[in-house]
Amino acid sequence: MKKLYSYVFWGTSLLSFGTASAQEMMKTADLDEVNVKARRQIKTDSISNTLKTGGKLIELPQNIVSINNNLLQLQGAFEAQDVIRNVSGVYNMGSAQANVFSGMGEVSVRGFQAVNLYRNGMLSAGAQVSQEDIALIEQVDVIKGPAGFVNSMGPAGGSLSVSTKVPRRNGLLDATVTAGSYNFYRAAVDVGSAVRQKGFSYRFNTAYETREYYFDYTKRNKFVVAPVLQYNFSKRTYLLAEWNMTNGRAHNGSQFGKAGNESTVQKEPWSSNYMADPGLPVSKADDQYGRLVFSHEFNDNWKITSQSAIQRSSLDQWTFYNGTGYTAIQFDSNGYTTRRSFDYQRTFVSRSSQLFINGKYNINSYTVHKLLAGVDWHENTSDTYQGVGRIKFPFYRDKPSYGLNTDSLRAMSANPPTYYTKNMIIAGYVYNTFIFYDKLFFTLGARYTWNDRTSHSATKPDDVVYSFHSFNPRIGATFLIQPDFALFANYDQSFEPLTGVDKNGDQYKPQQSYNSEIGLKKQWFKGLLSTTLSGYIIKRNNMLLFDPVEVAARQVGQVRNRGIELDIIGNPVKNILVSANYSLMSSITSKDQFKPENVGKPYSLTPRQQINTWVMYMFYKGRLKGFSIAAGQVTALDRITSATNYNLPGYIKLDATLMYQHGRWYVRGILDNLTNKRYITSATVTDRLSNGSIVGQTWSYQESMPFNFKVQVGIKLK
């Protein structure tokens, strides 16, 4: 029994395959149930409770994809950005001056950039400076389109919410050590107690990582610590407190990007990095986050939750820009340029508080009401400083010289730009879901949001206040054709406040977005595999467009994005794990009264088509028992640019993992860019004009990483 108990316990872990003896395999009645439970852990059936609404994904009238920590570990993920490959319609646009601190500010969903990033359902610090390490991540919910139960203020494409690690039903003790190409080293520990019906429980995560890059000079290290303490007053009432800290340091520069024209793109050495220098001061990115949660269940049907969080993210980033502007280093025809140091500092502080109630009640024997109601409060402040070096340093591409004096690089020009903004949000919402015969789920509700923004700068020291408010209804319906097969549709809205005034001095109106979506969800193989097929149309009004007559921006335009998405995730059979998705998107300017010729032209710079797959095969028997092999690919096609009739070349990146597990130990190999292909991962390409005529293109771009590998050794003691 002791041996069987050990197998059952470890069978609930995704990584614990191939440990049963032949005698144990004969006990099929028990082991089949264990295998089903273990295999379910590679997919998530419910949305995170931190997103208020809770519930099964198949019942929600929206395309929401939830990715858990187990799948990310198997794929060799280390940051939240690695989630993207598992979700259709999500694209990392990157930046021509990409940041080694791996913010999420360049991620787009359904063609709309600058998605809202949440931590535990509350707005996180600025996405470009917030670091979401795998040591913090329990689950990532990718919400396609607006979702009033989260927030009606933000881009129409969607949002990402990271749920942090908290105590589990069972205790755990996991440890990993990883080493790889370009001096990548990482150690991590995850330890926690089981949640008690009454008393204290805990979870503690910590990780340290140091790495270099394929491009010259830049180095980074990162330290993460995340303790969580929970006290259960009873099985229905608990108080949880957590603190996350992530400290990052980059040496010799913090950004990498390249610039050129059509004749020089990708002609320089793969490793060249003209934005770095050993003389640059150390760059820093620090993030601290604290959360307090109180939850009480009145009975089996009603629960009240209060959670509050405070987050402080600070960035001090050093790099080089071209001597004539805020761009990557560009050379003239003789290979000459000048470089100036650039110091970007930003401190982002956010405070959030939520109070909401969930409940359900019966009207009659065939009708159930599920209610969600609550209030949200959020406030954030942002202080930004941009220092430009006073000295222009000559630089030659054919004979690059490095090792400048640090003090000379710290010498800044007079009156550097500074900015301050304060943003406050107060919202109330009510959503009710009518459930008829456990088959039809009809959701009706709305959110009212009031937003107040204050800003000032060095050039405008007086506070400028902008106030907005918006009422956003939400309608959704899900019909369970079968318990594992659903048809859904929804209509939702969001708004995005704009600061500034038009030529008459009137405040810009918020951009209003309207999303309509319809789709099918299906659970296959007794719930082990999930598929979602959806189609959507998003229209965003009040776009700022340039009026060539008034020589000013006016607010009249409209953008229309529409697309089809397919998401597949799960275990179709015992030995196979799969995550695959496909998206097809069309984004155009649908209204432009000032330049009618723009109507129908592409708007979004995201790919028209994306295809991502990842498949793992596990060996349970024979000489290869305990081994597994996985292969994947990431494909982006038809990547639009702002240059006339010009698209970025598509690319396909191949990767793989190899793994062997023996008892509680496992070894995993992670192989990336198997073909060692050099391609452009992201870029902005604009027309070069002369006397109104196009004379070529200017590129600012980021390249792929060469073939690289990592080897990870881990142990699960509980």
Side-chain angles (χ1 to χ4, degrees):
M1 287 298 296
K2 182 177 181 181
K3 192 173 185 180
L4 179 59
Y5 171 78
S6 175
Y7 180 78
V8 172
F9 181 85
W10 287 102
T12 60
S13 170
L14 175 63
L15 302 178
S16 300
F17 46 83
T19 58
S21 67
Q23 180 181 359
E24 290 168 335
M25 293 298 292
M26 294 175 62
K27 301 180 180 180
T28 58
D30 293 331
L31 295 181
D32 284 349
E33 181 180 356
V34 171
N35 284 332
V36 169
K37 290 181 179 179
R39 290 157 61 195
R40 283 186 184 277
Q41 289 195 20
I42 66 116
K43 62 182 283 290
T44 302
D45 295 320
S46 300
I47 193 172
S48 171
N49 287 330
T50 63
L51 294 176
K52 308 183 187 75
T53 186
K56 297 179 180 179
L57 290 172
I58 197 171
E59 297 174 354
L60 296 177
Q62 192 163 357
N63 187 345
I64 299 175
V65 180
S66 297
I67 305 298
N68 63 28
N69 181 273
N70 292 327
L71 178 58
L72 295 178
Q73 286 190 40
L74 285 175
Q75 293 178 337
F78 293 98
E79 296 171 338
Q81 292 192 69
D82 298 321
V83 171
I84 293 172
R85 69 174 301 162
N86 297 294
V87 187
S88 65
V90 184
Y91 179 63
N92 189 356
M93 299 181 67
S95 171
Q97 292 81 37
N99 192 330
V100 300
F101 295 122
S102 302
M104 298 288 285
E106 301 296 334
V107 173
S108 67
V109 180
R110 290 181 170 176
F112 292 103
Q113 193 180 348
V115 300
N116 278 341
L117 178 65
Y118 297 87
R119 194 178 290 188
N120 297 308
M122 292 177 283
L123 272 171
S124 183
Q128 292 180 329
V129 297
S130 182
Q131 301 178 80
E132 312 293 335
D133 189 90
I134 190 69
L136 306 175
I137 298 172
E138 191 73 75
Q139 179 173 318
V140 180
D141 293 286
V142 182
I143 304 164
K144 313 283 194 68
F149 59 86
V150 181
N151 188 4
S152 288
M153 194 178 83
S159 54
L160 285 75
S161 180
V162 173
S163 297
T164 54
K165 294 179 178 179
V166 297
R168 291 180 172 180
R169 180 180 302 176
N170 299 316
L172 75 160
L173 176 54
D174 300 344
T176 60
V177 176
T178 309
S181 303
Y182 306 106
N183 292 321
F184 181 98
Y185 301 100
R186 179 184 173 97
V189 175
D190 183 358
V191 59
S193 66
V195 175
R196 300 177 180 178
Q197 183 170 315
K198 186 174 182 179
F200 284 99
S201 56
Y202 71 91
R203 185 105 177 246
F204 179 80
N205 273 269
T206 186
Y208 179 77
E209 178 182 302
T210 180
R211 62 176 298 182
E212 297 177 7
Y213 295 84
Y214 71 91
F215 47 87
D216 297 330
Y217 295 107
T218 306
K219 305 176 182 179
R220 189 201 71 182
N221 53 60
K222 179 170 58 175
F223 176 63
V224 182
V225 60
V228 185
L229 188 64
Q230 179 174 326
Y231 183 79
N232 282 41
F233 299 93
S234 67
K235 67 177 182 179
R236 294 188 182 275
T237 307
Y238 71 86
L239 181 68
L240 180 145
E242 72 170 301
W243 175 60
N244 306 156
M245 183 190 76
T246 305
N247 285 352
R249 298 291 182 270
H251 302 269
N252 308 331
S254 61
Q255 293 179 284
F256 52 97
K258 297 184 178 182
N261 56 50
E262 59 276 10
S263 63
T264 61
V265 171
Q266 293 189 295
K267 299 296 177 60
E268 299 170 350
W270 205 339
S271 61
S272 63
N273 182 17
Y274 306 129
M275 300 180 73
D277 192 279
L280 283 173
V282 174
S283 297
K284 305 175 183 179
D286 296 334
D287 184 271
Q288 296 195 51
Y289 170 88
R291 180 172 70 120
L292 188 66
V293 184
F294 176 78
S295 178
H296 173 66
E297 295 180 2
F298 298 101
N299 50 49
D300 291 340
N301 295 327
W302 290 91
K303 179 176 72 172
I304 189 170
T305 304
S306 171
Q307 67 170 352
S308 299
I310 183 170
Q311 184 173 8
R312 186 181 191 276
S313 296
S314 59
L315 181 71
D316 185 1
Q317 177 176 289
W318 286 87
T319 189
F320 275 103
Y321 278 151
N322 209 52
T324 57
Y326 297 91
T327 63
I329 305 303
Q330 300 182 51
F331 298 92
D332 63 17
S333 58
N334 297 316
Y336 171 81
T337 190
T338 57
R339 302 191 302 169
R340 288 201 295 180
S341 59
F342 181 74
D343 180 20
Y344 176 84
Q345 299 180 24
R346 182 182 180 188
T347 300
F348 195 102
V349 179
S350 68
R351 303 172 182 86
S352 300
S353 188
Q354 299 177 344
L355 177 66
F356 56 95
I357 187 169
N358 303 81
K360 62 179 181 179
Y361 56 97
N362 290 45
I363 297 297
N364 48 48
S365 60
Y366 55 83
T367 306
V368 177
H369 285 244
K370 289 182 64 176
L371 179 70
L372 168 65
V375 292
D376 293 348
W377 173 83
H378 174 82
E379 180 184 84
N380 63 61
T381 59
S382 177
D383 275 298
T384 303
Y385 161 90
Q386 297 179 344
V388 180
R390 186 170 64 243
I391 304 173
K392 295 182 180 180
F393 298 92
F395 193 80
Y396 294 88
R397 181 176 53 206
D398 297 333
K399 294 182 180 180
S401 58
Y402 296 94
L404 297 171
N405 179 270
T406 301
D407 290 337
S408 64
L409 295 174
R410 288 185 178 274
M412 297 287 107
S413 299
N415 301 318
T418 59
Y419 308 91
Y420 171 84
T421 60
K422 179 180 179 181
N423 187 31
M424 186 176 68
I425 303 167
I426 299 175
Y429 53 91
V430 177
Y431 295 95
N432 192 78
T433 300
F434 306 84
I435 307 174
F436 302 97
Y437 297 101
D438 290 328
K439 280 186 170 293
L440 177 61
F441 297 74
F442 181 75
T443 300
L444 181 64
R447 171 185 285 260
Y448 181 83
T449 306
W450 179 68
N451 176 228
D452 184 85
R453 297 188 173 201
T454 304
S455 65
H456 64 248
S457 63
T459 56
K460 296 182 179 180
D462 296 331
D463 283 349
V464 179
V465 180
Y466 303 90
S467 296
F468 307 94
H469 61 88
S470 182
F471 176 81
N472 298 104
R474 173 180 170 87
I475 302 173
T478 301
F479 178 69
L480 295 181
I481 303 170
Q482 296 176 349
D484 58 1
F485 185 27
L487 170 68
F488 72 91
N490 77 61
Y491 172 79
D492 211 341
Q493 298 181 0
S494 68
F495 76 104
E496 300 168 74
L498 297 175
T499 56
V501 296
D502 61 20
K503 67 183 187 66
N504 298 320
D506 297 326
Q507 291 185 16
Y508 287 129
K509 299 177 182 178
Q511 293 178 343
Q512 296 283 352
S513 298
Y514 308 91
N515 176 77
S516 300
E517 181 177 7
I518 188 170
L520 295 168
K521 299 181 182 181
K522 180 75 169 87
Q523 302 278 351
W524 308 83
F525 305 100
K526 297 181 180 180
L528 297 176
L529 182 75
S530 296
T531 59
T532 302
L533 175 65
S534 63
Y536 65 88
I537 298 177
I538 302 175
K539 295 181 180 180
R540 184 167 66 172
N541 293 331
N542 296 333
M543 299 293 295
L544 283 176
L545 300 174
F546 184 74
D547 182 354
V549 177
E550 297 290 343
V551 194
R554 283 193 176 183
Q555 197 172 23
V556 294
Q558 182 188 83
V559 170
R560 187 228 64 202
N561 290 8
R562 66 183 180 188
I564 298 173
E565 299 170 340
L566 174 65
D567 292 276
I568 304 171
I569 187 169
N571 299 77
V573 296
K574 176 181 176 181
N575 297 69
I576 296 177
L577 289 68
V578 60
S579 172
N581 56 79
Y582 171 79
S583 62
L584 173 66
M585 189 197 72
S586 170
S587 175
I588 63 169
T589 299
S590 47
K591 291 182 181 179
D592 187 343
Q593 74 178 58
F594 303 125
K595 292 185 177 180
E597 64 271 21
N598 287 338
V599 174
K601 289 185 177 180
Y603 175 80
S604 175
L605 301 183
T606 55
R608 179 176 170 80
Q609 294 188 80
Q610 294 184 80
I611 309 167
N612 302 308
T613 57
W614 181 86
V615 180
M616 172 177 276
Y617 184 86
M618 302 174 290
F619 295 90
Y620 282 94
K621 299 177 182 179
R623 295 182 178 180
L624 296 178
K625 177 181 176 180
F627 279 95
S628 67
I629 183 171
Q633 62 83 31
V634 175
T635 300
L637 304 174
D638 303 324
R639 296 187 290 167
I640 306 298
T641 74
S642 57
T644 304
N645 299 322
Y646 194 87
N647 292 358
L648 288 179
Y651 69 86
I652 301 175
K653 181 180 78 70
L654 304 178
D655 55 75
T657 61
L658 302 171
M659 179 174 156
Y660 175 72
Q661 178 162 349
H662 180 73
R664 297 176 178 179
W665 289 90
Y666 64 88
V667 179
R668 179 183 295 122
I670 305 165
L671 310 175
D672 185 57
N673 195 2
L674 291 173
T675 60
N676 199 38
K677 184 177 181 180
R678 184 177 181 180
Y679 58 89
I680 295 173
T681 59
S682 60
T684 56
V685 184
T686 56
D687 287 329
R688 295 202 311 273
L689 303 177
S690 178
N691 297 321
S693 300
I694 299 173
V695 296
Q697 285 80 40
T698 297
W699 291 65
S700 293
Y701 63 99
Q702 180 182 335
E703 291 191 281
S704 61
M705 191 170 183
F707 168 77
N708 63 97
F709 70 90
K710 299 179 180 67
V711 177
Q712 185 176 76
V713 178
I715 184 171
K716 300 175 74 71
L717 297 178
K718 288 186 180 181

